[in-house]
Amino acid sequence: MKSQSPRVRRTPEEARTLALTSARRLLLAEGPDAITLQAVASDLGMSHTNLIHHFGSAAGLQSELMRQMVSELTTTIESAVMRLRAGKGEVKDFVDIVFDAFDRGGAARLAAWMALTGESMHLAPIGEVVRDYIDSVERGADADGDAATVHERVTSATLFVTVAALGDAIIGNELRKMVGRERETVRKLMGALLPLVLDPNRSPRPSENR
């Protein structure tokens, strides 16, 4: 008769942390539908009942994962805002910040998941930080026109880059293979186009057309 391995005793905090880590792996590898209590329990060698005790249901586990990932993304953007205020960042840095945030750690999957499940209200903390970022950029913007014009250009750039970053993170690899382009193509295009969105009168340098 095959002996069973002794059950690992974990503190409640350790169990929650491991469960959320497992849930994130499942999200990135297989998508939101893969995040079930049974799948996480199997992954960790943990009882299904134990997970119910900590999260109540699969929906509870998913909501907690959303909160964790939103918190991480918010911290990333807040750090960028602080760098900008300290004079260590530039408007073009927004491209790398947004693309990295969506491409690494599953933020694109998270945003798509929230939109499809009607959980977009969880994005409110990110919205507050993004608005703070926009205010910082507007205060340092060197563009002709009144405040309303600057605001329109900065928010247009924000929408433009964010939607591109989201799409690139979700389907960019497949599209790039179809057209035979390298991984950084969309990011480079956004880096070249962003200054033009912010200042339509600006003439692109030759290198920006590549």
Side-chain angles (χ1 to χ4, degrees):
M1 182 177 178
K2 186 177 179 180
S3 62
Q4 293 182 342
S5 300
R7 187 178 295 276
V8 178
R9 300 184 67 86
R10 303 182 177 98
T11 67
E13 187 58 35
E14 288 173 339
R16 288 177 62 85
T17 298
L18 288 171
L20 289 169
T21 300
S22 173
R24 184 182 297 219
R25 282 198 303 267
L26 290 168
L27 171 66
L28 295 178
E30 303 178 39
D33 290 342
I35 304 175
T36 65
L37 295 182
Q38 189 62 49
V40 172
S42 177
D43 181 39
L44 298 176
M46 185 183 297
S47 72
H48 183 269
T49 303
N50 195 350
L51 289 178
I52 292 177
H53 172 72
H54 291 300
F55 299 101
S57 64
L61 172 60
Q62 293 166 358
S63 294
E64 186 63 29
L65 178 60
M66 285 182 186
R67 284 192 289 270
Q68 183 187 73
M69 294 179 71
V70 166
S71 176
E72 292 174 2
L73 184 55
T74 300
T75 299
T76 297
I77 299 175
E78 283 178 338
S79 177
V81 171
M82 292 177 65
R83 285 179 55 82
L84 186 68
R85 287 176 171 171
K88 299 179 181 179
E90 301 177 14
V91 174
K92 67 180 180 61
D93 294 336
F94 189 62
V95 174
D96 285 333
I97 293 167
V98 176
F99 270 71
D100 286 343
F102 279 107
D103 191 39
R104 302 172 185 174
R109 290 264 191 170
L110 174 69
W113 179 17
M114 288 181 172
L116 292 173
T117 58
E119 297 288 344
S120 299
M121 73 287 292
H122 290 300
L123 291 170
I126 297 177
E128 294 175 6
V129 177
V130 169
R131 284 190 291 273
D132 195 2
Y133 184 96
I134 289 171
D135 289 342
S136 296
V137 173
E138 289 176 359
R139 287 194 294 270
D142 181 17
D144 295 329
D146 57 20
T149 300
V150 173
H151 177 75
E152 181 179 358
R153 291 175 182 174
V154 173
T155 52
S156 293
T158 302
L159 288 169
F160 187 40
V161 175
T162 303
V163 171
L166 176 61
D168 190 59
I170 292 176
I171 198 173
N173 284 335
E174 287 73 19
L175 289 176
R176 285 190 293 271
K177 291 175 184 176
M178 292 177 189
V179 298
R181 297 299 300 272
E182 68 276 8
R183 179 175 175 79
E184 300 295 315
T185 297
V186 178
R187 188 180 298 219
K188 289 178 180 177
L189 286 171
M190 288 300 104
L193 293 172
L194 179 59
L196 301 181
V197 175
L198 288 168
D199 182 3
N201 296 319
R202 183 178 185 275
S203 298
R205 296 191 298 272
S207 61
E208 293 176 336
N209 290 319
R210 297 176 184 175

